[in-house]
Structure formats: structure tokens, C-alpha cells
Amino acid sequence: MIVIRRAIKEDLKNVYELEKKCFKDPYPEAVLLMLYHLYPELFFIAENTGEKKIVGYASGMVRADGFGHIISICVGEEYRRRGIGRKLMEVLESAMRVSFNVCNFRLEVRVSNESAIKLYESLGYKIVSRLKSYYLDGEDGYLMIKSTC
Ligand SMILES: CC(C)(COP(=O)(O)OP(=O)(O)OC[C@H]1O[C@@H](n2cnc3c(N)ncnc32)[C@H](O)[C@@H]1OP(=O)(O)O)[C@@H](O)C(=O)NCCC(=O)NCCS
């Protein structure tokens, strides 16, 4: 069974292992730790309870302008297309709403990341601008925003 729950500090090593599998420019473990310490209520994992294995995670923060910022989301390759990514996004947005009264959300995504863009669009996010050379390898990003205010 897959459950979504708040991360605990002991999860972070395994979250980092997953992060490295999901991204070619993964966040360093220290950044994940910092995100967890700054916003523990906005750091979620998806766990396969049978194997006690972390199969996905999502993390966010609240910006000074009041926007909830989706910092990272990933689901292990063999667990994709089962609704885990969508559920993580919904739980994270809901936690931002409840804990921080957030009603505007934003995120950045590689222009080539069709699966993630489809997921975000299906949740109501819209592309508002193109961010030139946003990523380390020079690829552009899209800024996507969802407003529920
Ligand atoms: C993006 C990602 C988190 C999606 O996770 P997921 O668990 O597979 O997503 P879901 O199963 O919840 O999919 C929800 C919807 O997103 C869209 N979607 C997801 N993957 C898709 C794909 N490969 N192709 C087309 N649409 C896709 C679909 O609309 C899907 O709904 P449907 O299955 O009913 O058609 C996952 O692909 C991933 O971890 N990618 C690598 C890391 C990454 O790119 N993160 C985002 C960085 S901005």
C-alpha cells in the first residue's frame, strides 16, 4: 500500500537517494535538510508500506510574496502513472492552505518536462512566462502559477 505522510528527519537520506535518481541536477542533501528544517509541515513522502520504501516526495515553502512555492516533486520511475505525483501535489497544496493560508501557488519546470507539465496543467497551473537558461545545463524553464484566491 502507498501512503502519503509528513517526512521525518530519518527519511531524508532515502529522499536524497530518490532525488538523485529523479533529476540530473539533484538538490544536495544539505538543501533537502534545510528545506525540511524550514518547512517540516510542507515536506511529504510517499511510502510503500509493505517494503518500507520511499517512492516519492514533495517539498515546498512559502515565499515573502505569499505564494506557496512547490520546490520539488519526484516519484520513483517504477511507481509513476499511478496517481502518486498528483496526490503529493494535492497534499502539499492543502498543507500550504491550512498551515499558511496560501491561495496562490507557483513552480518552475523544464520546458522539456512534458509529463510534469501535464500533471501541473491537470491541477490548474498555467504557464505564465519562460525563464531563459533557468537550469544549470542552460535549458529554459516555465514559470507556472495557480491562483485559488
Ligand atoms: C512528474 C512526476 C512527479 C509525475 O508523477 P506521477 O506519479 O507519475 O504522476 P501521476 O500518476 O499522479 O499523474 C498525474 C497526471 O499527470 C499527467 N502525467 C503524468 N505523467 C505523464 C506522462 N509520462 N505522460 C503524459 N502525462 C503524464 C497525466 O495527466 C496524469 O494523469 P493520468 O495518469 O490520469 O493521465 C514524475 O513523472 C517524476 O517524478 N518525474 C521526474 C521528476 C520530475 O520531473 N519532477 C518535476 C520537476 S518540476
Side-chain angles (χ1 to χ4, degrees), residues 7-135:
I8 56 171
K9 196 169 171 224
E10 289 68 29
D11 293 324
L12 293 183
K13 271 226 152 348
N14 290 329
V15 169
Y16 178 55
E17 292 309 312
L18 182 62
E19 169 82 8
K20 285 190 288 188
K21 287 188 191 139
C22 277
F23 297 103
K24 58 178 169 185
D25 50 355
Y27 284 121
E29 197 174 351
V31 170
L32 296 175
L33 200 63
M34 183 195 70
L35 285 167
Y36 171 76
H37 280 299
L38 285 175
Y39 290 98
E41 54 282 88
L42 301 181
F43 205 122
F44 291 94
I45 61 150
E47 183 175 42
N48 181 340
T49 51
E51 301 173 28
K52 285 202 178 333
K53 184 179 171 194
I54 292 177
V55 300
Y57 92 95
S59 153
M61 61 174 288
V62 181
R63 291 162 47 102
D65 61 9
F67 272 75
H69 194 169
I70 314 298
I71 301 287
S72 188
I73 174 167
C74 90
V75 173
E77 209 161 356
E78 64 275 36
Y79 288 88
R80 289 181 193 162
R81 289 315 284 271
R82 298 194 202 175
I84 298 173
R86 179 192 301 279
K87 192 77 207 160
L88 280 166
M89 286 291 294
E90 288 171 350
V91 168
L92 180 53
E93 286 179 3
S94 168
M96 286 176 171
R97 257 189 221 104
V98 171
S99 300
F100 297 96
N101 216 15
V102 160
C103 59
N104 288 311
F105 304 90
R106 62 172 279 162
L107 55 84
E108 296 85 21
V109 59
R110 285 178 182 270
V111 294
S112 64
N113 196 344
E114 288 174 24
S115 45
I117 293 168
K118 285 231 160 59
L119 166 63
Y120 303 143
E121 283 177 339
S122 78
L123 287 163
Y125 286 79
K126 301 224 174 334
I127 294 171
V128 294
S129 61
R130 188 169 177 127
L131 309 167
K132 197 95 195 94
S133 301
Y134 183 76
Y135 293 95

